[in-house]
Amino acid sequence: MPTAKSTALPLPVKTAPAAPAVRPIKKLMAANRSEIAVRIFRAGTELNLRTVAIFAQEDRLCIHRYKADEAYQVGQGKGPVAAYLDIDSIVAAAKEHGVDAIHPGYGFLSERAGFAEKCAAANIKFIGPSPEVIRKMGDKAVARQTAAAAKVPCVPGTDGPVDNQREAIKEAQRIGFPVIIKAVAGGGGKGMRIVHNAAAFSKEFDSARSEAEKAFGNGAVYIEKYIEQPRHIEFQMLADEHGKVLHLGERDCSVQRRHQKLIEESPSPFLTPKLREEMGKVSVRLAETIGYQNAGTIEFLVDKHGKYYFMEMNTRIQVEHGVTEEVTDIDLVRRQILIACGEKLELSQKDIKMTGHAIECRINAEDPARN
């Protein structure tokens, strides 16, 4: 692959005193591996940036290492997962090699407020929202409270974490079975249990807390009404640092296995134009309320009657971002980089058009014999 020229990205001149400072980016690191790292390097190369890969010892022959202009090993001796979670090693490598900005991709450190803070302390631009927003929306109980304050419909549930079984069972009976127990720090379906009656509640409550503690180091859980046979609809957001927020339509992620998405498509075959417009406006309002910047996704559950409820916000690019790119013809990763440079979104909501239909299918590696 030809080496990208190390020249500054051409950016607009700041015109208003209150506008964020323009930050020319010359060297971009992907704090990730595999497909998303390659995707970041493609966008960076198209913007004439020099790209930097990181890799664990076990990934030294992986393709993403060779798709970047430079590549450096991180997390020596920590293994193929922990290496990409080694904040100090990654930030140190970025500083040593003159990196201006870090794109976290998805997974790993993409929703760690502490990583964004370490980048800022090292004078490296974190391509994503502020640490404060990551922290607020990463705590699902706080995110629910924030959404409710912005008048976004929420699934009936507890106002925050529930600490003991007796209190939890009372709350579940108040909400009405079936309920779902969810980890406050959850993700990937971990620390989630569906409970259909009071007799099964105590066992599932303890099980969810134990799994959450092991997976996230935080055993706190909250309780919501379980919406049976819902559609899982998420809206893609883009927001610049000048206050403009847009949605790029929805993705339907209803086909799942163990709370993990299997098929994502856009546009949703379920939403009517009226419902799409209403949910889009609600999503924009929430993003504006929290001062969101960069790319993010707001997720909803929609029942069979078209009533929708806020579920969570992912403060990063999604695995399925390509589905939205196909139907809107907007390069989300490129936009993320330009927003991080301080550029304004020149688009308006009426400019966003969805053309055609796109579907993504995930392939999961499993051993069925071991469940």
Side-chain angles (χ1 to χ4, degrees):
M1 173 178 139
T3 301
K5 295 179 182 178
S6 181
T7 55
L9 187 66
L11 297 167
V13 177
K14 186 173 79 171
T15 56
V22 169
R23 293 173 296 273
I25 293 173
K26 296 181 180 180
K27 188 178 282 192
L28 172 67
M29 172 184 280
N32 217 299
R33 65 181 179 189
S34 302
E35 183 272 337
I36 188 58
V38 173
R39 177 69 182 83
I40 293 164
F41 299 147
R42 189 187 89 190
T45 299
E46 288 174 354
L47 289 168
N48 207 25
L49 308 181
R50 191 162 182 83
T51 55
V52 180
I54 59 170
F55 61 93
Q57 167 68 13
E58 292 82 355
D59 291 339
R60 62 192 179 277
L61 300 180
C62 284
I63 192 169
H64 76 276
R65 175 185 177 181
Y66 300 101
K67 288 292 186 179
D69 298 310
E70 304 173 25
Y72 305 101
Q73 185 177 339
V74 296
Q76 281 81 352
K78 292 199 171 184
V81 174
Y84 297 97
L85 298 173
D86 189 340
I87 293 175
D88 291 337
S89 177
I90 293 169
V91 173
K95 287 176 65 177
E96 180 180 352
H97 299 289
V99 167
D100 302 304
I102 294 180
H103 194 308
Y106 46 68
F108 292 129
L109 297 171
S110 61
E111 293 180 284
R112 296 281 186 94
F115 182 46
E117 288 170 338
K118 284 287 182 75
C119 289
N123 200 30
I124 297 169
K125 179 62 180 178
F126 176 82
I127 297 182
S130 68
E132 294 76 21
V133 168
I134 294 173
R135 193 169 279 116
K136 177 184 289 186
M137 301 312 284
D139 184 314
K140 292 188 178 182
V142 175
R144 274 176 51 88
Q145 295 166 3
T146 304
K151 295 183 170 48
V152 178
C154 294
V155 179
T158 57
D159 292 331
V162 187
D163 296 327
N164 62 74
Q165 268 194 26
R166 184 176 296 178
E167 179 188 352
I169 246 180
K170 285 182 180 178
E171 288 292 329
Q173 290 170 331
R174 175 185 66 80
I175 295 163
F177 290 98
V179 298
I180 184 166
I181 303 166
K182 290 185 174 182
V184 163
K190 300 290 186 182
M192 294 175 65
R193 295 292 187 277
I194 299 166
V195 188
H196 291 275
N197 54 63
F201 187 85
S202 296
K203 178 182 177 182
E204 298 294 357
F205 181 77
D206 288 341
S207 179
R209 283 171 57 89
S210 175
E211 186 174 69
E213 180 65 40
K214 289 177 182 175
F216 313 113
N218 181 355
V221 297
Y222 64 101
I223 304 167
E224 283 184 349
K225 178 71 176 175
Y226 179 61
I227 310 299
E228 298 185 90
Q229 297 183 323
R231 306 293 297 204
H232 183 140
I233 306 291
E234 60 187 30
F235 273 74
Q236 177 66 58
M237 313 303 298
L238 271 183
D240 65 22
E241 298 179 354
H242 305 265
K244 178 180 275 190
V245 181
L246 304 171
H247 76 79
L248 277 64
E250 83 284 355
R251 297 183 290 261
D252 193 320
C253 311
S254 303
V255 180
Q256 301 186 11
R257 168 171 163 76
R258 296 181 177 177
H259 310 295
Q260 290 284 294
K261 300 168 186 174
L262 289 180
I263 298 174
E264 298 106 357
E265 58 183 315
S266 183
S268 167
F270 179 78
L271 294 194
T272 63
K274 181 180 178 181
L275 187 54
R276 176 177 296 112
E277 181 181 5
E278 183 180 339
M279 292 178 70
K281 286 180 178 178
V282 164
S283 299
V284 169
R285 184 167 72 236
L286 177 55
E288 288 175 338
T289 299
I290 61 176
Y292 198 82
Q293 296 173 2
N294 217 269
T297 304
I298 298 176
E299 305 198 357
F300 298 90
L301 291 178
V302 185
D303 69 19
K304 61 185 178 182
H305 305 293
K307 193 170 182 179
Y308 59 91
Y309 305 93
F310 169 80
M311 185 168 60
E312 64 182 2
M313 183 172 194
N314 291 307
T315 56
R316 53 173 169 80
I317 197 77
Q318 294 275 87
V319 175
E320 59 272 21
H321 71 274
V323 174
T324 295
E325 291 180 326
E326 286 292 328
V327 297
T328 62
D329 198 29
I330 293 173
D331 187 323
L332 289 171
V333 179
R334 180 189 180 101
R335 294 281 175 172
Q336 284 189 286
I337 298 168
L338 293 174
I339 288 170
C341 290
E343 275 207 6
K344 292 181 179 181
L345 285 169
E346 79 285 2
L347 299 168
S348 65
Q349 191 62 59
K350 69 177 187 303
D351 295 324
I352 308 301
K353 308 292 183 185
M354 299 172 74
T355 304
H357 198 98
I359 298 177
E360 173 179 303
C361 303
R362 299 198 196 186
I363 300 172
N364 295 331
E366 295 187 17
D367 183 346
R370 296 166 64 187
N371 196 30

